[in-house]
Amino acid sequence: VLGLDETVNARVRMLSGGKAMVELDNSILESGDDGETNWAADLLRDFGFEARCIDEWGFNSFGGVRGFKTGSVAAMPTEDSKHVVTAAS
């Protein structure tokens, strides 16, 4: 959907409250048609990504798209968080 190649850093990170946040290289976000970071989130929503995050992958919400961050930026899950199915489950 976003037309990314294997050299692009991209991931879905679980933030506090079970929110899904897509992180992409800043260079990809800056290459959008209007220079805004929302182009990627809008495109993902148009292709049903938000619904899949909630209905299929166990997230509570979709927080959009932001620049790729390193380190620990997500809080620990709470008892109120939905169980997320992983490849190891």
Side-chain angles (χ1 to χ4, degrees):
V1 171
L2 297 178
L4 306 177
D5 66 34
E6 65 276 356
T7 65
V8 175
N9 287 312
R11 68 175 161 213
V12 178
R13 195 184 270 263
M14 180 182 281
L15 301 181
S16 63
K19 181 186 291 186
M21 178 65 68
V22 173
E23 293 183 338
L24 298 175
D25 280 338
N26 285 319
S27 61
I28 297 299
L29 294 175
E30 294 166 0
S31 68
D33 295 337
D34 56 8
E36 297 290 325
T37 58
N38 290 338
W39 72 269
D42 290 343
L43 187 57
L44 288 172
R45 281 188 184 98
D46 289 348
F47 279 86
F49 187 84
E50 181 173 19
R52 291 187 76 184
C53 283
I54 296 166
D55 298 337
E56 296 178 30
W57 301 326
F59 292 98
N60 293 324
S61 63
F62 174 57
V65 178
R66 68 179 182 191
F68 196 86
K69 296 183 182 233
T70 59
S72 178
V73 296
M76 293 297 294
T78 65
E79 288 186 22
D80 295 334
S81 299
K82 284 185 180 178
H83 173 72
V84 176
V85 177
T86 64
S89 296

